[in-house]
Coordinates of all heavy atoms in Angstrom, one line a residue:
S1 N -6.7 2.2 9.7 CA -6.3 2.1 8.3 C -6.8 0.8 7.7 O -7.0 -0.2 8.4 CB -4.8 2.2 8.1 OG -4.2 1.0 8.7
P2 N -7.0 0.7 6.4 CA -7.5 -0.5 5.8 C -6.5 -1.7 5.8 O -6.9 -2.8 5.6 CB -7.9 -0.1 4.4 CG -7.1 1.1 4.1 CD -7.0 1.8 5.4
Y3 N -5.2 -1.3 6.0 CA -4.2 -2.4 6.0 C -3.9 -2.9 7.4 O -3.0 -3.8 7.5 CB -2.9 -1.9 5.3 CG -2.5 -0.5 5.6 CD1 -1.8 -0.2 6.8 CD2 -2.9 0.6 4.8 CE1 -1.4 1.1 7.1 CE2 -2.5 1.9 5.1 CZ -1.8 2.2 6.2 OH -1.4 3.4 6.5
F4 N -4.5 -2.4 8.4 CA -4.2 -2.9 9.8 C -4.7 -4.3 9.9 O -5.9 -4.6 9.5 CB -4.9 -2.0 10.8 CG -4.6 -2.3 12.2 CD1 -3.3 -2.3 12.7 CD2 -5.7 -2.7 13.1 CE1 -3.1 -2.6 14.0 CE2 -5.4 -3.1 14.4 CZ -4.1 -3.0 14.9
R5 N -3.9 -5.2 10.4 CA -4.2 -6.6 10.4 C -5.1 -7.0 11.6 O -5.4 -8.2 11.7 CB -2.9 -7.4 10.4 CG -2.0 -7.2 9.2 CD -2.7 -7.7 7.9 NE -2.9 -9.2 7.9 CZ -2.0 -10.1 7.5 NH1 -0.8 -9.7 7.1 NH2 -2.3 -11.4 7.6
G6 N -5.3 -6.1 12.5 CA -6.2 -6.5 13.7 C -5.4 -6.7 14.9 O -4.2 -7.1 14.9
N7 N -6.0 -6.5 16.1 CA -5.2 -6.6 17.3 C -4.7 -8.0 17.7 O -3.9 -8.2 18.5 CB -6.0 -6.0 18.5 CG -7.3 -6.8 18.8 OD1 -7.7 -7.6 18.0 ND2 -7.9 -6.4 19.9
S8 N -5.3 -9.0 17.0 CA -4.9 -10.4 17.4 C -3.8 -10.9 16.4 O -3.3 -12.0 16.6 CB -6.1 -11.3 17.3 OG -6.6 -11.4 16.0
F9 N -3.4 -10.1 15.4 CA -2.4 -10.6 14.5 C -1.0 -10.8 15.1 O -0.4 -11.8 14.8 CB -2.3 -9.6 13.3 CG -1.4 -10.1 12.2 CD1 -1.7 -11.2 11.4 CD2 -0.1 -9.4 12.0 CE1 -0.8 -11.6 10.4 CE2 0.8 -9.9 11.1 CZ 0.4 -11.0 10.3
S10 N -0.6 -9.9 15.8 CA 0.8 -10.0 16.5 C 0.8 -9.2 17.7 O -0.2 -8.4 18.0 CB 1.9 -9.4 15.5 OG 1.8 -8.0 15.5
A11 N 1.8 -9.4 18.5 CA 1.9 -8.6 19.8 C 2.0 -7.1 19.4 O 1.5 -6.2 20.2 CB 3.1 -9.0 20.6
G12 N 2.7 -6.8 18.3 CA 2.8 -5.4 17.9 C 1.5 -4.8 17.6 O 1.2 -3.6 17.9
D13 N 0.7 -5.5 16.8 CA -0.6 -5.0 16.4 C -1.5 -4.8 17.7 O -2.3 -3.9 17.8 CB -1.3 -6.0 15.4 CG -0.7 -6.0 14.1 OD1 -1.1 -5.2 13.2 OD2 0.3 -6.8 13.9
S14 N -1.4 -5.8 18.6 CA -2.2 -5.7 19.9 C -1.8 -4.4 20.6 O -2.7 -3.7 21.2 CB -1.9 -6.9 20.7 OG -2.6 -6.8 22.0
Y15 N -0.5 -4.1 20.7 CA -0.1 -2.9 21.4 C -0.6 -1.6 20.7 O -1.1 -0.7 21.4 CB 1.5 -2.9 21.4 CG 2.0 -1.6 22.1 CD1 1.9 -1.4 23.4 CD2 2.6 -0.6 21.3 CE1 2.4 -0.3 24.0 CE2 3.1 0.6 21.9 CZ 3.0 0.7 23.3 OH 3.4 1.9 23.8
I16 N -0.5 -1.6 19.4 CA -1.0 -0.4 18.6 C -2.5 -0.2 18.9 O -3.0 0.9 19.1 CB -0.7 -0.6 17.1 CG1 0.8 -0.4 16.9 CG2 -1.4 0.5 16.3 CD1 1.2 -0.8 15.5
A17 N -3.2 -1.3 18.8 CA -4.7 -1.3 19.1 C -5.0 -0.8 20.5 O -5.9 0.0 20.7 CB -5.3 -2.6 18.8
S18 N -4.2 -1.2 21.5 CA -4.4 -0.9 22.8 C -4.1 0.6 23.1 O -4.9 1.3 23.8 CB -3.5 -1.7 23.8 OG -3.8 -3.1 23.7
V19 N -3.1 1.1 22.4 CA -2.9 2.6 22.5 C -4.0 3.4 21.9 O -4.5 4.4 22.4 CB -1.5 3.0 21.9 CG1 -1.3 4.5 21.9 CG2 -0.4 2.3 22.6
A20 N -4.5 2.9 20.7 CA -5.6 3.5 20.0 C -6.8 3.6 20.8 O -7.6 4.6 20.8 CB -5.8 2.8 18.7
N21 N -7.1 2.5 21.6 CA -8.4 2.5 22.4 C -8.2 3.1 23.8 O -9.1 3.1 24.6 CB -9.0 1.1 22.4 CG -8.2 0.1 23.1 OD1 -7.5 0.4 24.1 ND2 -8.3 -1.2 22.7
G22 N -7.0 3.5 24.1 CA -6.7 4.1 25.4 C -6.4 3.2 26.5 O -6.3 3.7 27.7
S23 N -6.3 1.9 26.3 CA -6.0 1.0 27.4 C -4.5 0.8 27.6 O -4.1 0.1 28.5 CB -6.6 -0.4 27.1 OG -6.1 -0.9 25.9
D24 N -3.6 1.4 26.8 CA -2.2 1.3 27.0 C -1.6 2.6 26.4 O -2.3 3.5 25.9 CB -1.6 0.1 26.3 CG -0.3 -0.3 26.9 OD1 0.4 0.5 27.5 OD2 0.1 -1.5 26.6
G25 N -0.3 2.7 26.6 CA 0.4 3.9 26.0 C 0.6 5.1 26.9 O 0.3 4.9 28.1
P26 N 1.1 6.2 26.4 CA 1.2 6.5 25.0 C 2.4 5.8 24.3 O 2.5 5.8 23.1 CB 1.3 8.0 24.9 CG 2.0 8.3 26.3 CD 1.4 7.3 27.2
G27 N 3.4 5.3 25.0 CA 4.5 4.7 24.4 C 5.6 5.6 24.0 O 5.5 6.9 24.2
N28 N 6.7 5.1 23.4 CA 7.8 5.9 23.0 C 8.5 5.2 21.8 O 8.0 4.2 21.3 CB 8.8 6.1 24.2 CG 9.2 4.7 24.7 OD1 9.5 3.7 24.0 ND2 9.2 4.6 26.1
A29 N 9.6 5.8 21.4 CA 10.2 5.3 20.2 C 10.6 3.8 20.3 O 10.5 3.0 19.3 CB 11.5 6.1 19.9
T30 N 11.0 3.4 21.5 CA 11.4 2.0 21.7 C 10.2 1.0 21.6 O 10.3 0.0 20.9 CB 12.1 1.8 23.0 OG1 13.3 2.6 23.1 CG2 12.5 0.4 23.3
T31 N 9.1 1.4 22.2 CA 7.9 0.5 22.2 C 7.3 0.4 20.8 O 6.9 -0.7 20.4 CB 6.8 1.0 23.2 OG1 6.4 2.3 22.8 CG2 7.4 1.0 24.6
Y32 N 7.4 1.5 20.0 CA 6.8 1.4 18.7 C 7.8 0.7 17.7 O 7.4 0.1 16.7 CB 6.4 2.8 18.2 CG 5.2 3.2 18.9 CD1 5.3 4.1 19.9 CD2 3.9 2.7 18.6 CE1 4.2 4.6 20.6 CE2 2.8 3.1 19.2 CZ 2.9 4.0 20.3 OH 1.8 4.4 21.0
L33 N 9.1 0.8 18.0 CA 10.0 0.0 17.2 C 9.8 -1.5 17.4 O 9.8 -2.4 16.5 CB 11.5 0.4 17.5 CG 12.6 -0.5 16.8 CD1 12.4 -0.4 15.3 CD2 13.9 0.0 17.2
R34 N 9.6 -1.8 18.7 CA 9.3 -3.2 19.1 C 8.0 -3.7 18.4 O 8.0 -4.8 17.9 CB 9.2 -3.3 20.6 CG 9.1 -4.8 21.1 CD 8.9 -4.8 22.6 NE 10.0 -4.1 23.3 CZ 9.9 -3.1 24.2 NH1 8.7 -2.7 24.6 NH2 10.9 -2.6 24.8
A35 N 7.0 -2.9 18.4 CA 5.7 -3.2 17.8 C 5.9 -3.4 16.3 O 5.4 -4.4 15.7 CB 4.7 -2.1 18.0
A36 N 6.7 -2.5 15.7 CA 6.9 -2.7 14.2 C 7.7 -3.9 13.9 O 7.4 -4.6 12.9 CB 7.7 -1.4 13.7
M37 N 8.7 -4.3 14.7 CA 9.4 -5.5 14.4 C 8.5 -6.7 14.6 O 8.5 -7.7 13.8 CB 10.6 -5.6 15.4 CG 11.8 -4.6 15.0 SD 12.6 -5.1 13.5 CE 14.0 -4.1 13.5
S38 N 7.7 -6.7 15.7 CA 6.8 -7.8 15.9 C 5.9 -8.0 14.8 O 5.7 -9.2 14.3 CB 6.0 -7.6 17.2 OG 4.9 -8.5 17.4
H39 N 5.2 -7.0 14.3 CA 4.3 -7.1 13.2 C 5.0 -7.5 11.9 O 4.5 -8.4 11.2 CB 3.6 -5.7 12.9 CG 2.9 -5.7 11.6 ND1 1.6 -6.3 11.5 CD2 3.2 -5.2 10.4 CE1 1.2 -6.1 10.2 NE2 2.2 -5.5 9.5
H40 N 6.2 -7.0 11.7 CA 6.9 -7.4 10.4 C 7.2 -8.9 10.4 O 7.0 -9.5 9.4 CB 8.2 -6.6 10.3 CG 9.0 -6.9 9.1 ND1 8.9 -6.2 7.9 CD2 9.9 -7.9 8.8 CE1 9.7 -6.7 7.0 NE2 10.3 -7.7 7.5
V41 N 7.8 -9.4 11.5 CA 8.1 -10.8 11.5 C 6.9 -11.7 11.3 O 6.9 -12.6 10.5 CB 8.8 -11.1 12.9 CG1 9.0 -12.7 13.0 CG2 10.2 -10.5 13.0
L42 N 5.8 -11.4 11.9 CA 4.6 -12.2 11.8 C 4.0 -12.0 10.3 O 3.5 -12.9 9.8 CB 3.5 -11.8 12.8 CG 3.5 -12.6 14.1 CD1 3.0 -14.1 13.7 CD2 4.8 -12.7 14.8
H43 N 4.1 -10.8 9.8 CA 3.6 -10.5 8.4 C 4.4 -11.4 7.4 O 3.8 -12.1 6.6 CB 3.8 -9.1 8.1 CG 3.5 -8.8 6.6 ND1 2.3 -8.4 6.2 CD2 4.3 -8.8 5.5 CE1 2.3 -8.2 4.9 NE2 3.5 -8.4 4.5
V44 N 5.7 -11.4 7.6 CA 6.6 -12.2 6.6 C 6.3 -13.7 6.8 O 6.1 -14.4 5.8 CB 8.1 -11.9 6.8 CG1 8.9 -12.8 6.0 CG2 8.4 -10.4 6.4
L45 N 6.2 -14.2 8.0 CA 6.0 -15.6 8.2 C 4.6 -16.0 7.7 O 4.4 -17.0 7.1 CB 6.0 -15.9 9.7 CG 7.4 -15.8 10.3 CD1 7.4 -16.1 11.8 CD2 8.4 -16.9 9.7

């Protein structure tokens, strides 16, 4: 997506990118909630 901040922006973004490129995942509700929180906190800061 055009709004993705890149895999180096936060631990959450790194996880999402890793699942997307096949190096991690597939994950579950808990791991994606963790990723969402990580990205949100870094975004706000």
Side-chain angles (χ1 to χ4, degrees):
S1 70
Y3 42 82
F4 184 62
R5 299 294 297 272
N7 64 349
S8 63
F9 181 71
S10 74
D13 289 270
S14 176
Y15 177 72
I16 291 170
S18 295
V19 176
N21 66 29
S23 62
D24 204 340
N28 54 43
T30 299
T31 62
Y32 288 101
L33 177 59
R34 186 183 302 128
M37 287 291 191
S38 168
H39 169 78
H40 180 95
V41 170
L42 265 293
H43 173 91
V44 170
L45 290 175

